[in-house]
Amino acid sequence: MLLTRRTLMQTALTLGAMHAFPGLTWAQARPLVFATFTGSWEEAHKAVLVPAFRKATGNADMVLDPMLSVDQIAKVNAAKTNPPIDVMLHDPGPALQAIAQDLVEPYPVEKSAYYKDLIPEAQVPMGPSPFFQVVGITYNPETVKTPPTSWADLWKPEFKGRVGITNLNSTLGTGFMVELAKMHGGSESNIDPAFKALEALRPSLAAVAANPGQLATLFQQGQIDISPGNFNAIQILKARGVPVEFVIPKEGAIAFKTTIHIVKNSPNKELAFKLIEAALSPEVQAQLMEEPFLIVPTNTKVAIKGELAKTLAKDHAEIAKKFVFQDWAKINEQRSAWIERFNREIRV
Amino acid sequence: MAATLRNVTTYDLKLAAPLAAGFVVFFVTPLVILLALSFQTDPQGGRFGLTQYVNFLGDSFSLGVLGSTLWLGVKVTALTLLLGYPVAWLHQRSPGWAKGLIMLLVLLPLLTSVVVRTFAWVVILGRQGIVNASLLGLGLIDTPLKLLYTESGVVMALAQVQMPLMVLPLITALSRIDPNLADASSVLGAGHWRTFRKVILPLSLPGIIAGCLLTYAAAITAFITQSLIGGGQMLFMPMYIYQQASTLQNWPFAAAISVIFLVAVLVVVSVFNVLGRLSRGYTNA
């Protein structure tokens, strides 16, 4: 090659440009982008899942991009052919939306070493479930002397003006409504009884939180003493010294499968698969089960121990007995109508 | 030589081109896309029509949300004006060092994020918050008052959060008024109140209108404060749009609500502008 002034200049400029805009070089090989949830999930994944993934792949480049499920869907939808995310994490409602909008790949089940070890509820061909969230009753043990045992306890007269719920924007709020409907003879397709029950609860409500995170603030402020709540969210509060306890009501805890998906058209499919495998592996799940994360494992090879065994379930058989999984395909059909109705009817 | 002399009274429009291009790319284009989206009849795409607008405008609930949002803005603006005017007045009448202090106190909240200021209000208004604790301590009430998650709570918090937007234009307007005018007025026999009503207030009208405009626009679009203090049961337009766009992924309806909200705000802004023009005539008279 002839070294002319022009080629030299060109090389220098290109190198300079690549240095100034590292994004240019990512066009060919950008790091794996994993959209996790914000808060405790992000912390847990940063501490356990990311190191495990780095070890399994010989230190492959990856980025955690924490955001809500619905925002993940919006982002991928906006650039379907060149998605900015490789691995998505979804609650059951958004997961079905993502699948319906053709945003995710089927999981290569036959290649997976761990898929067959997952509990049956976690085996989802479009994206397996590395953990699930458990919703029960949370209460302040300083003001609520006898621990509640049933969802029906929220209606007790002594809790007048002390009960908190979230609106239906969240999975938590919607799941609770479905459970209410079931308690009063309804179902995923018949929500009327839930709205009737909520009408009766209205004098008791101290607040309708705009999101589950706000429930935590409400407990801290002493604004509410009892509410439906997420097991993992309570652990953070407890660790901060807020008096709050979690019980599984006798009707069973509501469990939300959280599924993990390979995004369609991702340029990093192989790495995405490896990340998900790491998330399903017994090693990672066993580590996430411990303090301070206390995440329920879905891999049956992990023996449930410690705090989880004490408050939730001692093994996977008990999980199947105590946890209620809801039919989100049915829920999604009518969710917008419910939200609309909640907007209109539940004004405190 | 004379032919090549530049006419200094006309500006070279090319200088504005970068800004214009920025506006077109980042403001006009998204707005056009929003408008186009709002005419889609179905979230899955497909045909165009007025369905979304009919759904909103034909629904008393949706109109109620719009109405309560606009009304919320009026209440917040009135409260900020009521509380902000004395502050600006005090600033005008104070000696130099106090002026600096007042200015610092007005500007200080602007240096903290809205989220932090809003959370402070959650602490203040809560059941065990400062207000309830002192009232209980003084024996004035037996059970804590419900202050958080009420509309008056939202109005109070918004008024504090948006206060600088009202006070700063007022200070500017008041400092432009010639102090001799007030003296002249009292020499001619007017009392303090009359001087204020007949001289100071009309002359500060441009500041009042600018302040009201800024506060109003900021108050009705304040998503964070509205949802944190108002809670999940109080629905205002920003939350309504968020709910439709994010939770329900119903982008066409969300776009239509946004356009309607935008038009409603523009109407209010033009009313303010008309008032501003009238006030200019009034002050020059």
Side-chain angles (χ1 to χ4, degrees), chain A residues 68 70-71 73-74 97 161-162 167 169 206 208-210 214 217-218 221-223 336 339 343-344 346-348, chain B residues 59 61 119 122-123 126-128 146 148-149 227-228 231-233 235 239 242-244 246-249 251:
Chain A
L68 294 174
V70 283
D71 296 332
I73 292 180
Q97 282 181 330
R162 325 289 298 134
N167 67 14
N169 286 2
V208 178
Q214 209 176 34
T217 322
L218 291 169
Q221 300 292 326
Q223 195 83 17
S336 63
I339 289 184
N343 282 347
R344 279 157 213 256
I346 310 304
R347 313 224 125 195
V348 177
Chain B
D59 178 13
F61 170 76
F119 262 109
V122 173
V123 176
R127 285 180 76 92
Q128 297 169 0
K146 192 179 161 138
L148 204 56
Y149 306 101
S227 53
L228 281 181
Q233 73 270 35
L235 194 63
M239 184 51 126
Y242 171 82
Q243 194 182 59
Q244 294 295 330
S246 240
T247 314
L248 299 174
Q249 306 261 316
W251 289 9

Side-chain angles (χ1 to χ4, degrees), chain B residues 91-147:
Chain B
H91 176 271
Q92 185 51 28
R93 287 292 151 127
S94 298
W97 63 270
K99 267 194 174 135
L101 192 69
I102 293 171
M103 196 47 121
L104 181 74
L105 287 177
V106 170
L107 288 178
L108 209 56
L110 279 184
L111 306 177
T112 346
S113 112
V114 174
V115 181
V116 176
R117 278 186 278 162
T118 302
F119 262 109
W121 276 100
V122 173
V123 176
I124 293 168
L125 298 175
R127 285 180 76 92
Q128 297 169 0
I130 299 166
V131 177
N132 270 321
S134 8
L135 287 178
L136 279 172
L138 291 170
L140 293 174
I141 49 170
D142 301 323
T143 46
L145 297 175
K146 192 179 161 138
L147 301 168

Side-chain angles (χ1 to χ4, degrees), chain A:
Chain A
M1 197 181 96
L2 232 108
L3 218 90
T4 64
R5 191 172 51 113
R6 189 166 292 179
T7 51
L8 254 177
M9 268 307 271
Q10 256 173 11
T11 323
L13 274 177
T14 318
L15 282 175
M18 275 166 72
H19 193 74
F21 305 100
L24 279 179
T25 49
W26 286 1
Q28 279 78 41
R30 65 165 166 81
L32 181 82
V33 179
F34 171 34
T36 179
F37 297 156
T38 46
S40 56
W41 305 110
E42 182 194 355
E43 280 167 40
H45 287 148
K46 204 184 270 172
V48 179
L49 181 55
V50 172
F53 167 78
R54 293 237 157 92
K55 220 174 106 195
T57 55
N59 231 350
D61 248 354
M62 78 158 294
V63 182
L64 274 181
D65 194 1
M67 64 183 115
L68 294 174
S69 270
V70 283
D71 296 332
Q72 297 176 24
I73 292 180
K75 256 192 162 175
V76 172
N77 235 333
K80 274 186 191 167
T81 48
N82 184 21
I85 300 169
D86 300 302
V87 179
M88 288 200 279
L89 202 59
H90 284 313
D91 276 353
L96 292 168
Q97 282 181 330
I99 293 167
Q101 293 174 22
D102 198 24
L103 303 180
V104 300
E105 292 257 314
Y107 195 65
V109 174
E110 63 296 332
K111 260 171 58 189
S112 169
Y114 308 114
Y115 187 82
K116 59 181 188 327
D117 295 334
L118 302 180
I119 60 165
E121 284 84 5
Q123 295 192 13
V124 188
M126 289 307 285
S129 169
F131 57 86
F132 39 73
Q133 312 193 36
V134 186
V135 172
I137 304 175
T138 53
Y139 65 98
N140 181 341
E142 284 178 2
T143 48
V144 179
K145 291 299 175 205
T146 38
T149 55
S150 155
W151 292 118
D153 288 353
L154 298 182
W155 278 258
K156 278 188 178 171
E158 68 227 55
F159 297 135
K160 196 163 185 288
R162 325 289 298 134
V163 180
I165 59 170
T166 68
N167 67 14
L168 300 193
N169 286 2
S170 63
T171 307
L172 175 70
T174 307
F176 176 65
M177 276 302 266
V178 171
E179 201 49 35
L180 268 189
K182 284 182 176 169
M183 271 171 67
H184 294 94
S187 69
E188 281 92 341
S189 43
N190 175 19
I191 203 74
D192 279 346
F195 275 101
K196 275 206 198 83
L198 211 56
E199 188 58 45
L201 187 63
R202 223 158 68 165
S204 290
L205 290 179
V208 178
N211 54 59
Q214 209 176 34
L215 279 178
T217 322
L218 291 169
F219 270 107
Q220 271 177 310
Q221 300 292 326
Q223 195 83 17
I224 57 172
D225 289 333
I226 187 165
S227 80
N230 187 304
F231 176 73
N232 290 89
I234 294 314
Q235 303 312 319
I236 305 173
L237 281 184
K238 262 174 111 172
R240 284 195 207 129
V242 178
V244 55
E245 287 296 336
F246 177 93
V247 284
I248 292 187
K250 65 171 195 277
E251 292 86 3
I254 313 167
F256 303 129
K257 268 183 277 197
T258 299
T259 47
I260 188 163
H261 307 265
I262 302 176
V263 175
K264 200 164 199 165
N265 300 325
S266 148
N268 288 320
K269 274 182 199 148
E270 203 42 50
L271 285 178
F273 173 70
K274 284 193 174 134
L275 177 78
I276 297 177
E277 282 291 284
L280 302 177
S281 72
E283 297 79 31
V284 167
Q285 295 213 346
Q287 241 180 305
L288 285 175
M289 186 178 67
E290 285 173 22
E291 309 258 4
F293 309 118
L294 297 176
I295 292 173
V296 185
T298 55
N299 191 319
T300 50
K301 293 272 163 71
V302 183
I304 297 177
K305 286 191 297 219
E307 176 71 23
L308 277 189
K310 221 169 68 203
T311 28
L312 291 183
K314 56 184 193 305
D315 53 31
H316 283 95
E318 206 183 344
I319 283 184
K321 239 182 19 228
K322 274 170 115 174
F323 290 8
V324 185
F325 290 90
Q326 300 171 332
D327 184 350
W328 279 83
K330 276 246 171 63
I331 294 173
N332 270 7
E333 280 170 21
Q334 300 192 45
R335 192 164 172 202
S336 63
W338 298 354
I339 289 184
E340 202 125 303
R341 189 163 163 194
F342 191 93
N343 282 347
R344 279 157 213 256
E345 291 182 13
I346 310 304
R347 313 224 125 195
V348 177

Side-chain angles (χ1 to χ4, degrees), chain B residues 36 39 52 73 85 87 144 159 165 183 236 254 257-258 273 284:
Chain B
F39 286 110
Q52 310 296 347
Y85 204 97
V87 176
L165 297 180
D183 295 341
F236 296 111
I257 306 177
S258 311
N273 269 337
N284 290 342

